């Protein structure tokens, strides 16, 4: 899953995703906490270093000399914006001599990276899923730069992340710089509700799957085709449909559907998702919504821009996804400009009647976040790029990304290392900065920025708090589940299990889409029964056995076995 990128907050909301996620290997969620003065000292020291004419310790220091490198986002339908078009990019380009050349794929990401690999003309930095199989190909080819020699010299990642062992590759080296890592729960998955439509329909109860169905029917009856009752974001990435799956089982997790798992844990083993009773019940419910046109009918082929346009114009009644706060937070500010009573709000996760609502988790996170930045051997000065990423993920870098350059909205650090917010702090400006910087938040540090954001928000009335922040604190973060134990379950791309995974992933998406579009409950069962047979014929059972072994190894490292 992308944000399964972040966090979007996810990230700025975070999460993520990656999750976002953070726990160490020795014990999930029990990472080394920085000393209270660490952030302050690091931030002040960095500031001092940046104004020092001569750097004598051999470290690369932001702003001392120009830094230029290329970056590529390896996500379908996602390209980095031009660096200088973002507030952080403009500032760093003009004030710190940092220029990043963004490489676009325009939707042809698989072909783009394949072409770059074939010609050996790789970007200097690649940002993608933490365990993407294409990255494994680069690792096997020796095209990734290990970070181990830089960790002590540039200590922000090590300080704020803690135990990095589960992130290491088979050779014991670290090649991933995680995004939205955290020792605390975070993430943005859940349900966003159109306030205007909800009010017009009488503010009905929205707690169970029955409530949700009745509500969507009412939306369809009143608004016809002018409003999408349930917008699931991008169905081919599971997104909102995956969120609906979690409503049907206590402990049913979004991650069960992901490419890195595609399984349900049972009695110490990873078992087929297609034979899982909870998954089957959820698919029947989803198929019913789809055939009654209560779900966006182009959910499997719509683009991010199409989803954003509908959310921004208020043409969705319920919006669910891995990080719906990204779009909804932006739309909230826009819609309430002309209608103070409009906009969106979030609800506690929907649950099947009879289930404990506090054991429903629409989203997941890991200690390591959702994605990662990799430096390739094409980089002329990989240490400089790592040093930049380390500054970017540290207190000063995080504050500039979220609140703008020091001086306007914040000035210096308090005794706990959090930013001191000024009397000129402009919430609207800050919200705009965060939204515009979100696409280039490569290595977000949830452990630091969450407390920093809440320092300002804590003393504000609920209705005056930043929209994303208030719902992260009250809805999304309390309902995300730590799945750090399931990280690293992707086999090497060229191994037998890796080849099986590629085939399973392709077929699974086909099976999944067919089951969503099924004409009856009986047809859903028929599709999933045949799908199970087809996956087994590809070696699905072998893949599950391999993943079970890796999962148990993770549990042992985390002292959870």
């Amino acid at each position: 899953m992308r944000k399964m990128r972040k966090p979007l907050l996810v990230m700025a909301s975070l999460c993520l995703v990656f999750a976002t996620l953070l726990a160490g290997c020795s014990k999930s969620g029990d990472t080394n906490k920085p000393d209270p003065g660490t952030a302050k000292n690091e931030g002040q020291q960095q500031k001092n270093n940046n104004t020092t004419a001569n750097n004598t310790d051999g470290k690369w220091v932001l702003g001392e000399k120009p830094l230029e490198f290329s970056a590529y986002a390896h996500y379908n339908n996602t390209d980095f914006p031009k660096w200088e078009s973002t507030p952080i990019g403009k500032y760093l380009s003009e004030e710190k001599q940092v220029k990043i050349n963004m490489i676009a794929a325009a939707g042809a990401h698989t072909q783009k990276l394949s072409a770059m690999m074939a010609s050996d003309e790789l970007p200097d930095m690649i940002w993608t899923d933490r365990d993407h199989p294409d990255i494994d190909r680069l690792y096997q080819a020796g095209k990734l730069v290990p970070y181990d020699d830089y960790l002590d010299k540039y200590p922000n990642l090590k300080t704020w992340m803690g135990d990095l062992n589960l992130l290491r590759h088979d050779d014991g080296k670290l090649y991933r710089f995680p995004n939205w890592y955290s020792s605390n729960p975070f993430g943005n998955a859940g349900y966003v509700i159109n306030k205007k439509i909800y009010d017009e329909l009488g503010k009905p109860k929205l707690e169970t799957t029955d409530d949700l169905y009745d509500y969507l029917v009412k939306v369809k009856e009143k608004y016809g085709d002018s409003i999408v009752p349930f917008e699931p974001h991008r169905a081919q990435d599971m997104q909102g449909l995956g969120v609906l799956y979690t409503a049907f089982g206590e402990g049913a997790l979004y991650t069960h559907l992901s490419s890195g798992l595609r399984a349900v844990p049972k009695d110490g083993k990873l078992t087929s998702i297609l034979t899982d009773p909870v998954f089957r019940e959820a698919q029947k419910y989803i198929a019913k919504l789809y055939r009654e046109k209560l779900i966006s009918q182009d959910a499997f082929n719509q683009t991010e821009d199409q989803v954003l346009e509908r959310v921004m114009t208020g043409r969705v009644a319920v919006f669910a996804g891995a990080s719906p706060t990204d779009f909804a937070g932006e739309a909230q500010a826009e819609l309430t400009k002309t209608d103070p009573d409009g906009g969106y709000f979030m609800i506690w996760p929907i649950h099947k009647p009879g289930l404990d609502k506090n054991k429903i988790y629409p989203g997941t996170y890991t200690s390591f976040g959702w994605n990662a930045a990799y430096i390739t051997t094409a980089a002329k000065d990989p240490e400089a790029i790592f040093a930049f990423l380390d500054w970017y993920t540290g207190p000063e870098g995080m504050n500039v990304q979220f609140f703008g350059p020091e001086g306007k909205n914040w000035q210096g650090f308090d005794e706990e290392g959090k930013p001191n917010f000024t009397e000129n702090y402009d919430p609207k400006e800050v919200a705009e900065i965060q939204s515009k910087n979100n696409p280039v938040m490569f290595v977000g540090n949830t452990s630091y920025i969450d407390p920093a954001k809440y320092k300002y928000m804590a003393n504000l009335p609920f209705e005056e708090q930043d929209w994303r922040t208030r719902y992260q604190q009250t809805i999304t973060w309390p309902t995300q589940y730590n799945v750090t134990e399931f990280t690293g379950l992707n086999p090497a791309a060229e191994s037998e299990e890796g080849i099986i995974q590629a085939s399973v992933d392709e077929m699974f998406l086909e099976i999944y889409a067919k089951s969503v579009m099924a004409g009856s409950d009986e047809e859903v069962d028929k599709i999933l029964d045949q799908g199970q047979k087809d996956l087994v014929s590809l070696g699905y059972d072998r893949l599950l056995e391999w993943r079970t072994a890796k999962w148990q190894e993770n549990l042992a490292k985390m002292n959870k076995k």
Side-chain angles (χ1 to χ4, degrees):
M1 291 176 282
R2 177 183 169 195
K3 358 50 241 143
M4 299 186 151
R5 294 189 296 180
K6 148 235 171 215
L8 286 302
L9 141 102
V10 305
M11 294 181 330
S13 296
L14 290 26
C15 239
L16 322 296
V17 99
F18 217 164
T20 281
L21 324 160
L22 225 235
C25 304
S26 60
K27 185 176 293 184
S28 178
D30 185 18
T31 54
N32 298 324
K33 297 286 187 177
D35 181 87
T38 300
K40 176 185 178 183
N41 295 336
E42 182 278 342
Q44 187 62 47
Q45 184 61 49
Q46 180 68 69
K47 181 179 178 181
N48 293 339
N49 285 345
N50 288 345
T51 58
T52 300
N54 297 309
N55 178 26
T56 60
D57 60 2
K59 292 179 62 175
W60 183 90
V61 177
L62 186 73
E64 280 194 348
K65 57 183 179 180
L67 171 63
E68 182 173 353
F69 64 94
S70 58
Y72 168 65
H74 192 48
Y75 279 103
N76 287 336
N77 299 298
T78 299
D79 284 321
F80 286 136
K82 291 183 178 180
W83 180 235
E84 291 81 4
S85 72
T86 65
I88 184 69
K90 185 175 187 295
Y91 167 75
L92 289 178
S93 179
E94 295 177 352
E95 303 296 330
K96 301 297 184 181
Q97 305 183 79
V98 177
K99 181 178 181 181
I100 304 180
N101 301 312
M102 304 304 196
I103 298 175
H109 288 71
T110 299
Q111 299 90 323
K112 183 69 174 181
L113 185 57
S114 294
M116 290 190 289
M117 290 170 64
S119 63
D120 200 23
E121 296 181 356
L122 293 169
D124 300 322
M125 187 190 84
I126 298 176
W127 185 74
T128 186
D129 286 325
R130 191 178 55 249
D131 298 307
H132 198 291
D134 286 340
I135 291 296
D136 183 69
R137 293 186 178 93
L138 292 174
Y139 164 70
Q140 296 293 340
K143 296 296 184 180
L144 299 180
V145 175
Y147 299 153
D148 302 77
D149 291 343
Y150 310 141
L151 293 174
D152 292 328
K153 196 172 184 180
Y154 309 97
N156 273 320
L157 175 61
K158 187 175 180 180
T159 297
W160 292 98
M161 173 75 219
D163 196 333
L164 296 164
N165 285 334
L166 279 185
L167 285 174
R168 296 183 181 279
H169 276 68
D170 292 341
D171 62 1
K173 296 181 179 180
L174 182 70
Y175 299 88
R176 306 175 177 97
F177 201 123
N179 192 29
W180 301 123
Y181 53 90
S182 174
S183 57
N184 302 310
F186 72 95
N188 303 302
Y191 302 82
V192 170
I193 310 299
N194 185 310
K195 186 177 184 299
K196 189 175 186 68
I197 293 173
Y198 182 73
D199 290 347
E200 291 178 353
L201 291 176
K203 303 180 179 181
K205 182 166 67 77
L206 272 179
E207 298 178 1
T208 70
T209 48
D210 291 345
D211 296 337
L212 178 61
Y213 173 76
D214 292 341
Y215 182 70
L216 298 180
V217 169
K218 291 178 181 177
V219 171
K220 180 75 172 174
E221 291 174 346
K222 181 175 179 63
Y223 301 98
D225 295 334
S226 65
I227 297 292
V228 175
F230 185 89
E231 175 53 67
H233 205 156
R234 289 172 49 78
Q236 62 267 53
D237 297 330
M238 304 307 146
Q239 289 286 341
L241 302 187
V243 169
L244 277 179
Y245 156 68
T246 68
F248 286 85
E250 296 176 3
L253 303 177
Y254 193 108
T255 298
H256 293 166
L257 304 176
S258 72
S259 174
L261 191 59
R262 297 252 198 266
V264 177
K266 184 177 182 181
D267 300 328
K269 295 182 179 180
L270 296 179
T271 62
S272 172
I273 183 70
L274 295 188
T275 60
D276 176 45
V278 174
F279 174 74
R280 291 199 168 210
E281 184 177 10
Q283 287 305 97
K284 292 172 183 176
Y285 179 87
I286 292 170
K288 180 180 180 180
L289 298 186
Y290 188 85
R291 63 177 172 265
E292 294 184 14
K293 297 186 178 180
L294 302 178
I295 288 179
S296 176
Q297 297 296 285
D298 58 352
F300 282 95
N301 53 33
Q302 60 191 2
T303 66
E304 294 273 313
D305 288 342
Q306 289 173 319
V307 176
L308 176 60
E309 191 275 334
R310 282 198 287 268
V311 175
M312 289 294 293
T313 55
R315 294 190 293 113
V316 300
V318 180
F319 176 38
S323 189
T325 52
D326 290 344
F327 288 174
E330 186 175 350
Q332 171 71 13
E334 191 64 29
L335 292 173
T336 53
K337 287 180 180 178
T338 56
D339 183 1
D341 295 323
Y344 295 96
F345 66 96
M346 295 197 76
I347 60 172
W348 196 259
I350 296 291
H351 64 280
K352 175 187 171 183
L355 299 183
D356 185 342
K357 70 175 185 178
N358 294 314
K359 295 181 180 179
I360 302 299
Y361 306 99
T364 58
Y365 71 98
T366 73
S367 299
F368 314 132
W370 290 354
N371 31 53
Y374 300 81
I375 299 173
T376 76
T377 53
K380 294 180 179 179
D381 191 349
E383 180 177 341
I385 297 175
F386 183 89
F388 164 75
L389 294 177
D390 200 65
W391 177 88
Y392 212 50
T393 203
E396 186 178 2
M398 282 284 95
N399 286 327
V400 176
Q401 290 177 70
F402 273 79
F403 310 116
E406 185 176 9
K408 167 66 188 304
N409 294 306
W410 68 284
Q411 182 69 54
F413 300 86
D414 64 17
E415 65 280 359
E416 295 181 340
K418 299 174 184 175
N420 291 316
F421 295 110
T422 71
E423 61 181 12
N424 296 318
Y425 184 96
D426 185 340
K428 291 184 178 180
E429 179 184 63
V430 167
E432 184 177 0
I433 289 171
Q434 293 177 15
S435 290
K436 291 183 176 179
N437 283 336
N438 185 57
V440 294
M441 291 179 177
F442 313 127
V443 286
N445 178 350
T446 309
S447 289
Y448 175 78
I449 201 61
D450 282 356
K453 289 193 302 177
Y454 286 131
K455 177 185 177 182
Y456 178 81
M457 297 294 168
N459 297 321
L460 294 178
F462 181 80
E463 62 275 7
E464 294 181 19
Q465 294 177 8
D466 171 73
W467 189 91
R468 297 176 181 86
T469 303
R470 87 172 69 139
Y471 287 115
Q472 287 171 344
Q473 187 174 27
T474 59
I475 299 291
T476 66
W477 292 349
T479 59
Q480 312 294 292
Y481 193 89
N482 190 334
V483 292
T484 301
E485 65 193 70
F486 297 122
T487 57
L489 301 189
N490 281 321
E494 305 305 328
S495 67
E496 291 187 30
E497 291 83 4
I499 294 172
I500 290 172
Q501 179 188 351
S503 298
V504 165
D505 284 349
E506 182 177 0
M507 182 171 288
F508 178 83
L509 294 178
E510 180 181 343
I511 296 166
Y512 186 85
K514 285 183 177 179
S515 67
V516 169
M517 299 176 189
S520 65
D521 288 353
E522 292 75 19
E523 188 177 352
V524 170
D525 281 328
K526 182 178 179 181
I527 291 170
L528 297 182
D529 286 343
Q530 183 59 50
Q532 173 66 14
K533 294 177 182 177
D534 293 340
L535 290 184
V536 168
S537 70
L538 294 176
Y540 184 40
D541 287 347
R542 177 171 175 174
L543 177 61
L544 292 179
E545 290 177 4
W546 185 91
R547 283 181 164 161
T548 295
K550 289 292 183 180
W551 171 45
Q552 291 299 326
E553 289 177 10
N554 285 351
L555 293 177
K557 291 178 182 178
M558 299 167 68
N559 295 325
K560 292 180 65 174
K561 190 170 182 178

